[in-house]
Amino acid sequence: MRLGSAPLTCTHTTDHPTIHTPVPHKEITMPLHNNHASLINNTAPHIHDPAIVQDHDGSYAVFGTHRMFAHSDDLVHWSPLTNNLTRNPEAELGAIWEQWPASPTNPDLRGNTWAPDVIWNPTMHRWCMYLSLNGDDLRSVIVLLVAEELTGDWTYVGPVVYSGFTGQDIARTDANDVLREAAATSSPMDAARILDVARYMSRKDTRINAIDAAPVLCEDGTMWLAFGSWFAGIWMLRLDPATGLRDRSIRYPLIRDTTGNASVSDPYYGVKIAGGYWNSGEGAYLVQRDGWWFLMLSYGWLGRTGGYQIREFRARSPLGPFVDMHGNPAIALGETPHNETGRTGVRMLSSVHWHDGSDAIEVSQGHNSVLQRNDGRMFLVYHTRFADRFHPDDDEDFDMRVRELVMTDNGWLAVSPALYRGEPMQPVDMADIPGDYDIIIHDPTTCFTGDTDDTGRREGVGIPQAITLQADGRIICGESVAFSDTNGLTAPRMTDGAPTCGSWRFAARARPGLPEDDAGPVIGAAHAASDIVMHLNGMPYHMRAGAQPHDAAPARILLTGVGCNQAVWGVRRG
């Protein structure tokens, strides 16, 4: 079947957007540990690239790089999860490892089992794990393993998608057969283009890295797999629910972008949904909520000073076109150096130094997954490094973090300022929202560098601003100031008190008559009474207020929201 020839809930689009995004890519080798249990801290597992899954009994499991797995009943306390993959991965993966990724310069299977993700396949009645086996020069393969129980043991099924092949060794992969099948149903001219593998030689074209698998199950039962990292971007191909492997009946056309320099649809890799041109962007994750598909990508490099961060896009289809709040597309149309300090994508998190010193300063936060819990609540799970937890010879001290996600009234996902400690965000009375807050805007144009500026302030670490939400709708900030508004013709005058720096109002009152870019579309059910629209320094932000413990403090009112392609946090003072 050629993609798009039959109606699907997850429909294909030929409207292929463009974007911006690079930085020379540099992989990092994380230390291997023989003692799996020693890496599972009771409340902060040392798990990289965590993929969160809820089991049928309501418990949770996290699967990470190097087969670091953990189990929890409450998302707070974690214990090691061991199975045949943690004990003896060679038994299931040794043959495919030797068949493709292994090389004299990269001989170790155990150090190259990257970023698995797990999904329940109702057709197979099995848990399906999609795991990357990483090789040198992008010579990687994503494989499928299945299990009856989420905890394992796991049985190898087969390869799903390869990368890093050339014209000389493509026959050792399934790409050769897939391309020939596509060519057989195409015109002679198109067939010649399909069989020309030159596009797979360029990292700025279609030489992808088959890592960071993210399976997707649609409401109509169709399954897709997102994959890729940096280089040629993030791609989606259709899976066969009966086998969990590639659906070989689907044909993807060969379509080049508007520049003609890279593919946006490929007979082997499927449909491009983000990135490309060697720009940074990896660890894709897709989640559906209230009629939208949200795509999250990690920009930057994963090291402590690499600017790793999560950017958010959304679309009506899992195949895109994904755009941010300003309409910037997730797909690149050319090279954009240092896109981790660019303004494409909604930046969801950044490094923050709270005034009270609470929480270690997180840096290089990324490669997330999302839990949609059975009760409807959502949680962002990611790994982070820390500004002050490192050794000069090894800055690879990282932990997993869990924060709640909420939907704003204009239809974007926002992250709670508080780490999840077992108490979700609770509704607050409208009358309780006015008060004093510390506000942080997650600036997309800066990131932690490890350096300090001339004032001693750490570069890329945000310092909250004190503001007050007045009951009359004003936002005031700071103290009384002296100023002159007549270019020095008159003496400076003093403000009567703290100057006004904005306004706020409840979303229910803000909506009538407001333009689309301010109020936004109504998504799903009516917004909560604690949704507010805040205009700060002339910029609109759509916020959700809720009560939740912040660090060691008892429950206090928190604000979280988005606006102008960046996230905003507020924490009630006192």
Side-chain angles (χ1 to χ4, degrees), residues 85-389:
L85 292 184
T86 63
R87 293 186 296 266
N88 181 22
E90 290 82 4
E92 295 296 324
L93 301 172
I96 183 64
W97 168 255
E98 294 297 332
Q99 185 268 333
W100 186 247
S103 67
T105 57
N106 188 42
D108 180 27
L109 164 65
R110 295 193 172 207
N112 287 284
T113 50
W114 287 8
D117 198 359
V118 175
I119 191 170
W120 173 252
N121 184 328
T123 302
M124 297 176 66
H125 297 283
R126 294 289 187 275
W127 292 99
C128 290
M129 175 187 289
Y130 296 88
L131 180 145
S132 308
L133 299 178
N134 173 70
D136 282 352
D137 196 23
L138 313 188
R139 194 180 175 89
S140 305
V141 59
I142 294 173
V143 301
L144 169 65
L145 301 102
V146 297
E148 295 184 13
E149 303 293 336
L150 182 59
T151 53
D153 285 346
W154 295 87
T155 301
Y156 174 74
V157 176
V160 181
V161 61
Y162 289 85
S163 65
F165 47 80
T166 67
Q168 287 69 48
D169 58 15
I170 189 173
R172 294 174 56 189
T173 75
D174 67 346
N176 197 50
D177 290 339
V178 171
L179 295 180
R180 290 184 180 278
E181 290 169 4
T185 58
S186 303
S187 68
M189 181 178 296
D190 287 342
R193 294 173 59 240
I194 289 170
L195 295 175
D196 182 359
V197 298
R199 64 187 180 277
Y200 300 123
M201 303 300 104
S202 170
R203 297 188 182 204
K204 297 178 184 178
D205 188 342
T206 321
R207 189 171 181 83
I208 78 155
N209 195 12
I211 63 171
D212 295 352
V216 175
L217 177 63
C218 296
E219 293 176 343
D220 65 352
T222 56
M223 293 182 67
W224 296 83
L225 185 72
F227 58 95
S229 170
W230 285 63
F231 314 121
I234 310 300
W235 294 75
M236 289 273 278
L237 60 80
R238 177 100 163 251
L239 300 175
D240 181 355
T243 65
L245 299 171
R246 169 197 290 271
D247 188 338
R248 293 281 286 267
S249 70
I250 302 296
R251 300 282 183 264
Y252 307 92
L254 178 57
I255 302 175
R256 307 293 279 175
D257 66 18
T258 55
T259 71
N261 295 322
S263 299
V264 290
S265 178
D266 183 79
Y268 183 63
Y269 287 128
V271 179
K272 182 189 284 186
I273 61 170
Y277 286 93
W278 208 327
N279 296 314
S280 79
E282 63 182 17
Y285 199 87
L286 290 99
V287 62
Q288 186 180 23
R289 187 75 169 199
D290 292 345
W292 290 102
W293 283 89
F294 294 91
L295 169 66
M296 300 172 197
L297 291 176
S298 293
Y299 280 12
W301 172 60
L302 56 80
R304 175 173 160 270
T305 59
Y308 215 49
Q309 59 190 261
I310 303 169
R311 301 277 178 131
E312 176 185 4
F313 302 84
R314 73 180 184 184
R316 290 298 188 182
S317 162
L319 302 185
F322 287 96
V323 297
D324 64 17
M325 295 187 76
H326 291 164
N328 299 316
I331 293 180
L333 192 60
E335 298 174 79
T336 302
H338 300 291
N339 66 324
E340 74 277 11
T341 55
R343 294 187 178 275
T344 295
V346 180
R347 184 167 186 180
M348 302 186 75
L349 296 164
S350 67
S351 302
V352 181
H353 186 191
W354 296 103
H355 291 301
D356 58 7
S358 61
D359 287 337
I361 298 176
E362 297 182 5
V363 299
S364 199
Q365 308 141 302
H367 202 125
N368 71 283
S369 58
V370 173
L371 169 68
Q372 293 206 71
R373 207 162 65 176
N374 294 340
D375 62 1
R377 291 188 178 270
M378 302 178 70
F379 297 87
L380 184 80
V381 181
Y382 61 99
H383 72 247
T384 183
R385 287 164 174 76
F386 302 91
D388 299 313
R389 277 175 46 186

Side-chain angles (χ1 to χ4, degrees), residues 329-529:
I331 293 180
L333 192 60
E335 298 174 79
T336 302
H338 300 291
N339 66 324
E340 74 277 11
T341 55
R343 294 187 178 275
T344 295
V346 180
R347 184 167 186 180
M348 302 186 75
L349 296 164
S350 67
S351 302
V352 181
H353 186 191
W354 296 103
H355 291 301
D356 58 7
S358 61
D359 287 337
I361 298 176
E362 297 182 5
V363 299
S364 199
Q365 308 141 302
H367 202 125
N368 71 283
S369 58
V370 173
L371 169 68
Q372 293 206 71
R373 207 162 65 176
N374 294 340
D375 62 1
R377 291 188 178 270
M378 302 178 70
F379 297 87
L380 184 80
V381 181
Y382 61 99
H383 72 247
T384 183
R385 287 164 174 76
F386 302 91
D388 299 313
R389 277 175 46 186
F390 73 102
H391 185 276
D393 298 325
D394 177 14
D395 66 356
E396 293 315 299
D397 190 354
F398 52 84
D399 285 344
M400 186 185 84
R401 289 287 193 250
V402 180
R403 296 179 187 266
E404 191 166 2
L405 281 170
V406 298
M407 181 81 88
T408 63
D409 73 291
N410 63 335
W412 290 91
L413 295 179
V415 188
S416 171
L419 295 175
Y420 184 70
R421 305 296 191 192
E423 298 183 38
M425 290 185 70
Q426 299 296 331
V428 295
D429 290 334
M430 297 168 69
D432 293 334
I433 293 178
D436 298 328
Y437 291 86
D438 283 330
I439 290 287
I440 190 75
I441 296 176
H442 297 286
D443 185 356
T445 67
T446 185
C447 52
F448 177 74
T449 65
D451 298 325
T452 57
D453 60 21
D454 294 339
T455 67
R457 179 174 172 174
R458 293 181 174 186
E459 293 182 358
V461 177
I463 305 297
Q465 174 189 5
I467 68 169
T468 299
L469 302 185
Q470 299 281 81
D472 60 11
R474 289 179 299 144
I475 299 177
I476 61 175
C477 51
E479 300 176 350
S480 178
V481 297
F483 74 102
S484 175
D485 50 12
T486 54
N487 298 320
L489 297 179
T490 59
R493 59 187 176 90
M494 294 291 294
T495 59
D496 294 331
T500 298
C501 55
S503 64
W504 73 279
R505 50 199 172 181
F506 293 104
R509 300 174 185 174
R511 187 168 302 284
L514 289 182
E516 172 77 8
D517 60 353
D518 187 4
V522 178
I523 307 298
H527 52 266

